[in-house]
Amino acid sequence: MRITPSCGLVLGSLFAFGCGQIDLPPAAAPSNVLPATVEVPTEPPVEGKGRVLLEANGEKARVVEVAGGTVSARGYTIGIVAQRAVCASTPCVVDVERGPHRFVFLSPEDANHGGVAEVDVGTKPKVIRHAMGDVVEHPALRSMGNAGITVGAIGALTGGALLVGGLLSNAADESLGNSGNSKIVGASGAILGISAGVLAVGITLAILGRSEVRRGTTTEWTLPTDGKSEPPPKGATTHVRLTPTANGLGLVF
């Protein structure tokens, strides 16, 4: 069967029901307690760099820095995303260039467990405690929902077309004094009703199969040279979606 552009538009609109996500409450903000297992170096960082202590709220995590930008040439715009390893396993202390940084925390055991900390590195050492978030996928429900939407939509369009054709044929026959072919109308009506039921079930499964996203939360504070830490701001939630890929890292900001 050939799917017309209008049919494709209907299918695309129906699939949109299951393309959203459910936002769960963000992870609880970590406390402003310096991890006892980390020793901050006494020597200062080199000129132009700042010191950051990265900690994943008691969990082990790999940390990479992600930076992006766009390049435009000859009417084309290309997005570029680069990443570099910062910490093999938290907690750790790193010296990085001063300025804004985007640190991505990745669980070594679960590709859907992680988060992002946006940090502005300055002259004073900073402690970054990040409670990683989660993405809970429901692939079975999503697959069944998409299949139900596809079959139901095609069946409904087919049944609807047959029903209209049967009604028009009956009207033409009755205008000529002949009895209409009620069998076509009855069969097309049955197809339309069954397909509508399958479509409704597919939409329900697609909605139930949406991803559940729990945002990560970061607590940060500075460590002045006199050893007295400044009070941290309230925990800030991150906005990142983790998607499993062949190399284990997939990020959608």
Side-chain angles (χ1 to χ4, degrees):
M1 177 181 292
R2 178 175 176 270
I3 300 179
T4 63
S6 59
C7 178
L9 179 60
V10 172
L11 290 176
S13 301
L14 293 173
F15 277 120
F17 279 99
C19 292
Q21 66 181 34
I22 301 174
D23 291 324
L24 301 175
S31 60
N32 60 324
V33 178
L34 188 67
T37 57
V38 177
E39 292 185 2
V40 180
T42 56
E43 69 277 4
V46 299
E47 184 65 27
K49 289 193 174 184
R51 181 157 293 161
V52 181
L53 191 157
L54 300 172
E55 201 268 343
N57 201 25
E59 297 187 76
K60 293 295 182 182
R62 183 168 61 94
V63 183
V64 299
E65 183 179 359
V66 175
T70 58
V71 176
S72 300
R74 297 183 179 180
Y76 294 94
T77 300
I78 303 174
I80 299 176
V81 176
Q83 69 176 46
R84 69 180 185 89
V86 174
C87 175
S89 180
T90 56
C92 60
V93 178
V94 296
D95 293 342
V96 296
E97 299 293 333
R98 296 174 189 172
H101 294 265
R102 175 178 287 174
F103 295 121
V104 181
F105 291 73
L106 301 167
S107 170
E109 300 176 352
D110 186 356
N112 283 339
H113 186 49
V116 173
E118 302 280 355
V119 182
D120 190 10
V121 179
T123 57
K124 296 180 180 179
K126 276 193 174 183
V127 179
I128 306 298
R129 300 199 70 193
H130 182 75
M132 294 186 288
D134 298 279
V135 176
V136 181
E137 302 284 1
H138 304 284
L141 287 175
R142 183 179 300 174
S143 297
M144 291 188 294
N146 290 342
I149 290 175
T150 301
V151 174
I154 293 176
L157 291 172
T158 302
L162 291 175
L163 179 61
V164 172
L167 292 174
L168 292 176
S169 177
N170 285 352
D173 289 340
E174 290 174 358
S175 66
L176 297 175
N178 300 322
S179 60
N181 188 357
S182 60
K183 292 182 179 180
I184 295 178
V185 176
S188 59
I191 294 174
L192 184 60
I194 294 173
S195 299
V198 173
L199 181 61
V201 172
I203 293 175
T204 301
L205 292 176
I207 293 175
L208 294 176
R210 290 178 297 170
S211 300
E212 299 177 69
V213 179
R214 185 183 304 279
R215 311 287 183 185
T217 305
T218 301
T219 298
E220 69 172 80
W221 70 97
T222 59
L223 291 176
T225 54
D226 59 7
K228 298 179 181 180
S229 64
E230 298 177 358
K234 294 182 179 180
T237 58
T238 61
H239 301 276
V240 61
R241 177 107 181 254
L242 301 180
T243 303
T245 61
N247 60 8
L249 172 62
L251 302 172
V252 179
F253 297 99

